Amino acid sequence: MARKMGVFSILAFALYGLFFYWYLFHLSSSSLPFEYQGTSADPVTFMNGRELMLTEEYSKTRNLLFFLSSPWEWLFYILILLTGLNSCFKRWAEEATKRKIFRLPIYLFWLSFVGYLAALPLSYISYSLSKTYNISTQTFPSWMKDELIDFWLNYGLLLIIVPVLYFLLKKSPKRWWVFAWLLSVPFTLFMMFLQPVIIDPLYNDFYPLKNKELEAKILDLASKAHIPAKHVYEVNMAEKTNAMNAYVTGIGSNSRIVLWDTTLNKLTDDQILFIMAHEMGHYVEKHLYFGIAGYLLLSLLGLYLVHTLMQQVLAKWGREVKIPAASDYRSLPLILLLLSMLMFFSSPFSNVVSRYQEARADTYALNMTKNPGAGIGSFQQLTKAGLSQVNPPFLVKMFRYGHPTMLERISMLDEYEVKHRKD
C-alpha cells in the first residue's frame, strides 16, 4: 500500500509539473489588451527588444519554479512518511543519546537537514537562473552563506516551537490547536519586533541613509503623514542583486523605513519619494495591523484544519506511515505537509487582500505627491530591473502577486495624469 501511495504521489507531481509547463509556455499569454498598447504600461515603450525577450524567458521559467516548489516540498514529506526514513530519524535520535530531552532536537536536525538537501536543487536552479539573466549579482559563497543562515534559523525556530507543540498534543489531544494558536500570538508579535534588529542584519548590512538631503525630504514626507520616523535606512543589496525594493518593517519602536541601495542608484529623488509615500500609505491606513490580525485569524483556522485532517489521515493511513498517534513526534512531517498545502491553496485569497491594500497605498502616494509621472517612471524601472511581466497570466497573478500587476498600477497613474491634464 505504501509503495502504491508513493508511486501515485510521484506521478501526480509529474503530471502537475507538465500541466504548469504547458500552461506557462504554451497556453497563457502576457500580451496586452489592444486598448493598452502604446501606453505607458506597454513594455514596448520603455524596454528594448532584447529586454522584452529576456523578460518573457525569465518570467516563465521563474514562475514554473514557483509552482513546482511547494508540491516538491509536499512530495518530500510524503516520501519521508512512506519510505520509513521518518522512523529512521527517530531511531537515530534514540541511539544517539539515552536522555529523552535530547532526542527531539536530534530528530529535528535530521529532518531539517534532509529537507534542506531536498530543497537545495530547486534553490540552486533559481539562483543560477537569476545569475544567468543578470538579476542576481551574488557570488556562490555568499549565496551558500545565506542558505546556511536560513537552515540554522529555521532549525532554531523548530527547536522553540516543536517541543511546545508536542507538549500540548500530549496534554490536550483535542484542544491543542487552540492553545498553540494562543501562544502563537505573542510569539508572532515578538518575532516581528526582532526582525529588523536581529534577523535582517544576519543577511545584509543596514546603515542610516547616506544622502542626507534625500533623507530630509523623506522625513518631511513622513511628518506630513504624521509618521514618527526619525531615520531612514539603506541596505547594501547591490552585491547581491540588480532588482530594487523599499519597505517598512518591524513594529513599535523597532519599525524602520528601508531602501535598497539599488533603488537609490537607479531612481530619481522624485521616484523614490513616490515609492516612500506608497510605503507610508500602508502605515497611515494601518495595513500592517490589519495584516497581522488577518494572519492570526487564518492561522487559527489553519491549525484547526491541521488537527481535523491529521486525525482523518492517521485513522485511515496511520499504519502505512508508521505514526501510532498524533502526539508521536514522527507526525511532524505530516503537520508540516498539511500546513504547507493549506498555505499554498489559501494564497489566492490572501493575495486578493494584499493587492487591495497595495492599490490603496498607490492611491495614497498619488494623492500625497501629486506626481503620477514619478510613479510611472518608478514602476517602469522596477519592471526593467526585475524582468517582470507587465501583464502576467491569470494563475500567476492569483498565486504569486501580492501587488496589482504593473499594467494595473501604471494604467491607474496614466488615467490620473490624463484626467488632471484636462482639468
Side-chain angles (χ1 to χ4, degrees), residues 190-324:
F190 180 66
M191 290 303 296
M192 291 185 70
F193 184 79
L194 289 183
Q195 181 86 26
V197 293
I198 301 296
I199 299 175
D200 288 346
L202 294 174
Y203 296 90
N204 302 293
D205 295 325
F206 291 77
Y207 35 82
L209 187 61
K210 296 175 184 175
N211 187 336
K212 296 304 176 183
E213 183 179 345
L214 177 60
E215 183 181 46
K217 292 178 181 179
I218 294 172
L219 293 177
D220 180 60
L221 208 61
S223 177
K224 291 177 182 177
H226 305 291
I227 297 174
K230 295 182 179 179
H231 298 286
V232 179
Y233 291 85
E234 63 178 284
V235 54
N236 182 17
M237 291 297 296
E239 62 184 19
K240 292 185 177 182
T241 182
N242 283 316
M244 297 183 286
N245 196 16
Y247 57 91
V248 176
T249 185
I251 57 174
S253 60
N254 276 1
S255 59
R256 287 182 173 184
I257 298 172
V258 179
L259 281 162
W260 286 11
D261 59 350
T262 50
T263 305
L264 293 165
N265 295 336
K266 295 180 180 181
L267 297 185
T268 66
D269 283 6
D270 283 345
Q271 291 170 344
I272 291 171
L273 289 173
F274 184 91
I275 289 176
M276 296 317 301
H278 168 98
E279 297 301 332
M280 292 172 193
H282 287 307
Y283 180 93
V284 171
E285 298 206 357
K286 297 179 172 56
H287 291 163
L288 174 63
Y289 299 101
F290 284 121
I292 293 171
Y295 167 79
L296 292 175
L297 287 174
L298 281 176
S299 65
L300 176 61
L301 176 61
L303 286 170
Y304 168 73
L305 289 174
V306 167
H307 166 71
T308 303
L309 292 170
M310 183 165 60
Q311 295 299 323
Q312 294 175 358
V313 169
L314 292 182
K316 192 171 184 178
W317 295 301
R319 183 176 297 178
E320 281 76 10
V321 297
K322 298 179 177 61
I323 302 174

Side-chain angles (χ1 to χ4, degrees), residues 34-69:
F34 175 77
E35 60 269 27
Y36 294 105
Q37 293 178 11
T39 67
S40 300
D42 189 344
V44 172
T45 63
F46 60 89
M47 298 173 75
N48 60 41
R50 176 173 171 76
E51 289 171 332
L52 291 170
M53 179 191 70
L54 293 176
T55 295
E56 286 301 303
E57 291 178 355
Y58 177 70
S59 294
K60 288 177 179 179
T61 309
R62 182 186 59 177
N63 290 332
L64 180 61
L65 287 172
F66 166 81
F67 281 110
L68 290 178
S69 60

